Amino acid sequence: MQTQPHLSKRGDVYQWRRKSRRFSTETIDIKLSLGTTDRNRALILARKVSAESDQIMEHIVENRITPERGRAFLAAVIRNERAKIDQLKLLARVDSLTPEDDARHDAAMAEAWDRIAQNGVNHPPAPDADTLVQGNISLIQRDLVSHPRRKAITNVYRQLSGDESLSAMEFAQVLDLYVSGKAKAWAGQEDGADAATQMEPAPVQTEPVVAQELPVAAQVETVALSPDPALPSPKFLDVVDRMNAIKRTEGIEEKTLRQYQSFAALFTMLTGIDDITRVRQPDVKAFRADLAKLPKSWGKSPKDQAATREDVMAKSATLPADKVGLSVGTVNRHLEHLNQIAEWARDEGLAIDPNLKPSRLRKRETVRARDKRDAFTLDQLHRVFLNPVWTGSRSEYHQTNPGHTIYKNGIFWCPLIGAFTGARREEIAGLAPADIIHKDGIWCFSIEDSELRRVKNLSSHRGVPIHPQLIDLGFLDHVQKAKDSGQRGLFPELYEPGNNAFGRKVGRRMRQVIDLELGAEGSNLSFHSLRHYVQNELDHAGVDDRFVRDIVGHEGIDIHDKVYRKAALIRTLASAISMLPEVILS
């Protein structure tokens, strides 16, 4: 039988335990939960911990983590995570287009953290888990082993405890507490005392730590407000860069990450404050007031990035009233960005003003989410595709002006692909030649993460058959030319190096086309309206809702759909795609 001298059980869960003498009469008893009920896995983990402990035991004895410190750290993790979850739920109640879908994602995230807390950071996702849960577990595990995340966790604990360094064993304890705190927060629990009892060293005389004599809440606030030159940079853009580095490992799309960067630059430009620790609630009120004075088109021109506050206000003064003032949704998004950045900085140990509450300044929406954007009708699309872009232009630069040449570039192809797939703008504009595949005898778009762009979430990874009219118009010839010339992307002219983005150019040109062809009738239409059009057309054609979700990249609606139903066959999806009517009439 396999034996391990440091292996024991606490209930059904295995733990590693080792005693060591500090002085001739004093024994240190150190326990660590291995987070597993599987004996074979526990044996492997215990051997690894024992091997390492031989080299660092003395360091652990001198710098161990006390239950008080662990309890305070865990309370901070839970408090911060609960705040983030509450903010996301508030945002979802106001801005979400699919509340049920958001709820499923929240439940999957809660289950993922719970499984990691029970099974351990390195335990592979269980095969019986929901595919969305499995994906979340993989993302969380990659984040937990990343250098930025480990550094952030270490900084927060170091400020809480006063310790200058953590041994490998101590970090393992802190990480275990961090995971437990996250799991408790997502489960809706507020108290972290139980998890901290995993660390039970026997009493030893140590130097007093002032924060240990305070209530847990007071300990957390003391850490948040204590200046320390060893802390990371409090500059807005620096905080955002560190936050984005972690979010990128979680699969957050680049478009969202760029929004955080743009917000940081906008806030600094309007307020003159570039240090997150100097922001106060009155500054946020002034910022929100300035957003009501910005041109509605602000941020759509590269020139806006170099403008000063004086430039912005001078430009606004020349515009009619209906062209000034950001929408309620955009204002609320900016406030939520500030909230997230401030919380992230607080997690890093930066001294964020405890009275800073950007979310309290959110504006009330006056329009239902489903009414904010219209879907194209087929008649409207027929008129849109009569624009010179698709019938003949003066030049490629003046592509919306009538002429005799059709330029089959990204401006030509992207709206057509949108009208025949319902794909998101960035998913289309970031296509590469390798993303056009031949599967089961059918040409398809392969929408996956690539070096050019990320997809929005796990359910967005999919294959979509190419509509016959796209092939008739020569799309496959365009793909072959791109391959022959060694292009990274199918539409390189859409790439904006300054923003590291695809899709903005086609979005702006689509706005121009809609205004030219539909006028006021198209005021609530945009490129995204093509996505709504495809869903409506497929629904009206009687296509099964499950196949519609597979085409547009939406998650299943129930546990059976999400776990047991596999993606539809390509030939089934091709039959559904063929029901979309042609948008360019002969």
Side-chain angles (χ1 to χ4, degrees):
M1 177 181 291
Q2 291 176 305
T3 61
Q4 166 55 248
H6 301 138
L7 186 64
S8 60
K9 290 184 81 172
R10 185 175 184 178
D12 293 330
V13 179
Y14 284 94
Q15 66 177 1
W16 181 90
R17 179 176 182 178
R18 184 168 184 178
K19 294 183 178 182
S20 176
R21 290 186 178 276
R22 186 181 184 189
F23 302 111
S24 59
T25 59
E26 186 176 20
T27 299
I28 305 301
D29 186 5
I30 299 180
K31 301 176 184 178
L32 282 173
S33 172
L34 297 177
T36 181
T37 58
D38 186 299
R39 178 173 174 76
N40 290 331
R41 181 167 177 76
L43 284 166
I44 295 172
L45 293 173
R47 282 196 293 270
K48 289 181 179 179
V49 175
S50 294
E52 186 172 357
S53 71
D54 290 338
Q55 301 178 25
I56 64 172
M57 197 66 188
E58 188 63 29
H59 188 63
I60 296 173
V61 169
E62 296 298 329
N63 299 281
R64 72 189 184 284
I65 300 172
T66 66
E68 290 80 9
R69 290 178 180 176
R71 203 169 286 116
F73 175 78
L74 187 61
V77 171
I78 294 174
R79 178 179 65 85
N80 290 328
E81 191 67 11
R82 285 299 307 161
K84 291 178 182 177
I85 294 169
D86 290 342
Q87 290 156 13
L88 289 173
K89 287 182 177 178
L90 175 62
L91 184 63
R93 285 198 300 272
V94 178
D95 288 343
S96 175
L97 298 178
T98 54
E100 298 83 1
D101 195 53
D102 291 341
R104 288 194 297 274
H105 278 273
D106 287 347
M109 184 60 73
E111 183 177 344
W113 276 112
D114 182 62
R115 285 177 179 260
I116 291 175
Q118 292 185 40
N119 300 328
V121 172
N122 298 312
H123 195 279
D128 66 327
D130 180 319
T131 54
L132 185 57
V133 172
Q134 291 185 17
N136 286 339
I137 290 175
S138 297
L139 290 173
I140 293 170
Q141 289 175 331
R142 289 200 299 271
D143 173 43
L144 291 176
V145 300
S146 70
H147 177 70
R149 175 60 69 197
R150 287 176 174 263
K151 184 177 179 180
I153 292 173
T154 301
N155 283 341
V156 172
Y157 176 77
R158 188 168 59 192
Q159 292 308 303
L160 184 69
S161 67
D163 292 340
E164 289 301 316
S165 62
L166 282 174
S167 69
M169 184 67 72
E170 289 168 338
F171 181 79
Q173 290 178 283
V174 172
L175 183 61
D176 189 51
L177 283 174
Y178 178 82
V179 171
S180 296
K182 289 280 191 176
K184 285 176 177 291
W186 277 95
Q189 300 179 32
E190 301 291 345
D191 184 13
D194 292 343
T197 60
Q198 292 177 8
M199 301 178 299
E200 299 178 1
V204 179
Q205 295 297 320
T206 62
E207 292 297 320
V209 178
V210 175
Q212 293 179 5
E213 299 175 1
L214 301 173
V216 167
Q219 293 178 33
V220 173
E221 290 304 318
T222 298
V223 173
L225 297 176
S226 298
D228 188 332
L231 288 174
S233 167
K235 300 293 185 183
F236 255 103
L237 287 174
D238 292 342
V239 175
V240 169
D241 285 345
R242 295 192 298 270
M243 182 180 75
N244 280 355
I246 298 299
K247 288 183 175 291
R248 191 169 283 110
T249 67
E250 297 171 349
I252 303 300
E253 59 182 347
E254 290 298 320
K255 175 185 176 182
T256 301
L257 303 184
R258 289 194 301 273
Q259 286 179 349
Y260 288 116
Q261 292 174 323
S262 297
F263 161 77
L266 177 62
F267 187 88
T268 299
M269 182 269 289
L270 288 178
T271 65
I273 301 173
D274 65 351
D275 183 332
I276 186 68
T277 63
R278 292 176 49 219
V279 180
R280 301 294 182 263
Q281 193 74 351
D283 300 321
V284 185
K285 290 182 179 179
F287 171 69
R288 189 183 73 163
D290 279 347
L291 295 180
K293 304 173 186 176
L294 282 182
K296 290 184 181 295
S297 61
W298 178 257
K300 296 181 179 180
S301 170
K303 295 179 181 179
D304 292 341
Q305 307 305 317
T308 65
R309 186 178 187 280
E310 290 70 25
D311 295 333
V312 176
M313 297 308 166
K315 180 179 179 180
S316 293
T318 66
L319 298 174
D322 63 341
K323 298 295 183 181
V324 176
L326 301 187
S327 68
V328 172
T330 302
V331 170
N332 288 343
R333 188 182 72 235
H334 283 313
L335 293 173
E336 180 58 30
H337 284 166
L338 177 56
N339 212 72
Q340 290 192 39
I341 294 169
E343 285 300 315
W344 190 275
R346 183 178 282 116
D347 286 350
E348 292 184 319
L350 294 175
I352 304 302
D353 181 5
N355 295 317
L356 183 62
K357 308 290 182 183
S359 292
R360 291 182 179 177
L361 299 176
R362 289 174 58 89
K363 290 188 172 184
R364 183 183 297 275
E365 287 281 4
T366 58
V367 181
R368 292 182 301 178
R370 71 183 187 187
D371 296 330
K372 291 181 181 179
R373 287 196 182 107
D374 290 342
F376 282 106
T377 65
L378 181 58
D379 174 69
Q380 287 172 332
L381 279 188
H382 285 160
R383 289 150 58 194
V384 163
F385 287 113
L386 287 176
N387 185 271
V389 170
W390 297 277
T391 58
S393 306
R394 183 202 305 177
S395 67
E396 190 165 12
Y397 183 78
H398 297 96
Q399 204 167 348
T400 57
N401 292 343
H404 303 290
T405 305
I406 296 177
Y407 298 91
K408 293 189 176 181
N409 52 18
I411 303 300
F412 176 92
W413 287 115
C414 287
L416 286 171
I417 296 173
F420 289 130
T421 63
R424 300 173 179 91
R425 190 181 70 189
E426 287 73 17
E427 291 174 341
I428 300 171
L431 285 169
D435 293 328
I436 310 306
I437 61 174
H438 204 237
K439 185 175 181 180
D440 298 336
I442 297 170
W443 285 104
C444 303
F445 297 102
S446 176
I447 301 177
E448 302 285 344
D449 285 330
S450 72
E451 62 177 0
L452 296 181
R453 52 99 173 91
R454 292 174 179 266
V455 297
K456 186 172 184 179
N457 49 45
L458 292 174
S459 59
S460 298
H461 295 256
R462 63 200 188 278
V464 182
I466 298 176
H467 191 278
Q469 189 171 41
L470 287 174
I471 296 176
D472 292 342
L473 291 170
F475 178 67
L476 295 181
D477 295 332
H478 179 85
V479 174
Q480 190 60 50
K481 289 178 182 177
K483 289 181 178 179
D484 293 342
S485 61
Q487 292 177 194
R488 292 173 63 231
L490 284 179
F491 314 115
E493 69 279 0
L494 298 182
Y495 181 63
E496 295 184 9
N499 297 314
N500 193 30
F502 283 92
R504 288 189 178 184
K505 286 185 178 180
V506 72
R508 291 193 293 267
R509 189 55 65 93
M510 189 67 176
R511 175 76 268 149
Q512 181 184 9
V513 169
I514 292 171
D515 289 343
L516 286 171
E517 303 303 327
L518 302 180
E521 179 186 345
S523 59
N524 287 332
L525 295 170
S526 66
F527 192 99
H528 194 78
S529 300
L530 294 169
R531 185 168 171 82
H532 296 305
Y533 158 78
V534 169
Q535 294 177 75
N536 287 347
E537 283 294 318
L538 293 177
D539 287 341
H540 295 158
V543 175
D544 191 302
D545 185 54
R546 295 170 299 172
F547 303 151
V548 176
R549 292 197 297 274
D550 285 342
I551 289 171
V552 300
H554 282 163
E555 191 192 354
I557 60 173
D558 54 37
I559 191 66
H560 180 275
D561 199 18
K562 291 187 289 184
V563 176
Y564 300 107
R565 189 183 76 82
K566 302 302 181 184
L569 297 175
I570 286 295
R571 63 173 176 269
T572 301
L573 298 184
S575 177
I577 288 289
S578 67
M579 295 183 183
L580 292 170
E582 294 187 351
V583 293
I584 293 182
L585 301 178
S586 303

